[in-house]
Amino acid sequence: MRVAIVGAGPAGLYAAEVLAHEYQTEVDIFEALPVPCGLVRYGVAPDHFSIRSVRDKLVETLDNPKVRFFGNVSIGSDITTDELSKWYDAVIYTYGAAKDRSLGIPGEDHPMSIAATDFVKWYTGHPDAQDFAQHLRNSREVIVIGLGNVAIDVARILIKPISELRTTDMPEHVLSALESSQVRHVRIVGRRGPQHATFTTKELKELGEIPDVDVLVNIDQLPPDDLAASNGDRVVERNLKVLREWANRHDHVSSKSIEFLFFSTPESFDAKNSLFHVHQMEMKSDGEIARKGVSYTIPADLVIRSVGYQGVEMSGLPFDNTGNVIPSENGRILNRERDYVAGWIKRGPSGIIGTNKKDATNTVNQLMQELNALSSQSLEPLRINEILEEREIEYVDVDGWKRIDAAERGLGLARGSERTTIHERSVLLNIARGV
Ligand code: NAP
């Protein structure tokens, strides 16, 4: 049996591990980028060392002789989904949810309004990222919209002293852009209250530990009773405790600040006058949020929208346009015999990295149960390499990835960090080729 996996992020690599290790099944992993690890490489903040170190464990899967890696191969264009279905006994799609969600407000499309997904791509050294150095040179006041962990990551990276980022694996061009950044005030704007935020306490608390940064919270926006407002949710209870401590502090002397503005729904961005308009919201006695009838403006040279990731359709596969996922039942794509899903493209953009392990395992268990009833149809393994070569697709195999890994570690050594991310696709491909 030979299974193809589309996407080498956590869900794909966990699925490969279960297939190869527990079921002794051959696996080919296809990844559009030249390197594995998906959002652990291009999503997790570079200063979150312990979460990022999950990478080392994830890539161990590629050392299993039953697993092959085909990086820099786009399914949907280089190879179609129909072809994959014919060439393998089964396919698992784990390509995640890479697109940003939009707000649908005037001014959103202005160049000084950017998606957090793009900003994160940039500071993690994604090969297709836009450069935001100029944005940071021209911005003193920044608004981050959203109350999730991505919003917290973005706010922290925007304002953290460069000395604390030098030990990360951020590419050099990102570090120099952050060093010459003019950003002084970051406002985190949420349409609902602190008790509705989806950020977690560890991430929230870190904001208070950044040198020369005050965290500002308006005590009137906190609930009258934290215990009642958290309704048994320990994370909410702990978040409220942290926010209340900040709200009670009045010794603000730092040159930079992060301010929380809750109950403020985005209305429009007036980039010409560097103003962001929000509408005030209030919580009704039934717990619902409603417009209060008052608007106000916030200074904003740059707006970063952190309102969630979104899955995108892949040509040839069914798609649920409401949930932005591939519709499935127990991991098998609806009305397909041998096609499966796992990770964010199956269940939407939520959960921690470990959530994908359970999710991928469930899908693989279901797949193996169903596959036993079907006959094998997979191509000879070397035929896949031949097809890629016939199509002149420059794929990166496990050895190529190891060369990239060694080069990044070597670059890191030179500046005293564990590694430095190489961000240009052509450079990554040259290194993979051994050039
Ligand atoms: P998220 O937790 O879903 O947060 C999205 C935020 O956007 C919510 O506050 C949401 O508010 C807001 N929002 C959505 N539509 C909006 C609109 N039209 N106007 C205003 N606000 C709007 O998503 P995320 O922060 O992108 O994180 C994605 C996943 O990655 C999460 O599971 C997260 O925990 C995980 N992650 C974890 C870490 C970490 O552990 N360190 C770091 C990064 C990401 P409403 O609640 O009102 O809809």
Side-chain angles (χ1 to χ4, degrees), residues 100-173:
D100 62 295
R101 282 170 47 193
S102 66
L103 285 170
I105 58 164
E108 182 175 15
D109 297 331
H110 190 276
M112 291 306 279
S113 156
I114 65 175
T117 48
D118 291 334
F119 190 66
V120 172
K121 269 185 181 173
W122 171 70
Y123 68 60
T124 53
H126 191 291
D128 305 331
Q130 187 189 336
D131 187 17
F132 293 116
Q134 191 70 28
H135 287 70
L136 299 187
R137 259 198 303 278
N138 293 339
S139 302
R140 206 179 151 79
E141 318 270 350
V142 181
I143 287 187
V144 181
I145 303 167
L147 299 176
N149 275 328
V150 173
I152 299 291
D153 279 351
V154 165
R156 188 182 68 255
I157 295 293
L158 276 170
I159 214 146
K160 206 168 186 175
I162 196 72
S163 56
E164 299 211 351
L165 296 173
R166 286 229 168 267
T167 48
T168 70
D169 58 9
M170 279 180 171
E172 276 302 328
H173 74 287

Side-chain angles (χ1 to χ4, degrees), residues 39 43-45 48 51 101-104 117 145-153 156 189-192 196-200 202-203 206 264-266 306-309 344 349-352:
L39 276 188
V44 173
H48 278 169
I51 312 180
R101 282 170 47 193
S102 66
L103 285 170
T117 48
I145 303 167
L147 299 176
N149 275 328
V150 173
I152 299 291
D153 279 351
R156 188 182 68 255
V189 176
R191 62 178 169 181
R192 297 196 289 158
H196 310 115
T198 49
F199 48 63
T200 39
K202 183 176 162 290
E203 282 64 28
E206 274 181 75
S264 304
T265 199
S306 180
V307 295
Y309 286 77
W344 278 9
S350 67
I352 56 172

Side-chain angles (χ1 to χ4, degrees), residues 80-95:
T80 67
T81 52
D82 282 351
E83 285 173 326
L84 272 193
S85 298
K86 278 187 222 130
W87 298 346
Y88 287 89
D89 292 310
V91 186
I92 310 180
Y93 291 90
T94 62
Y95 63 89

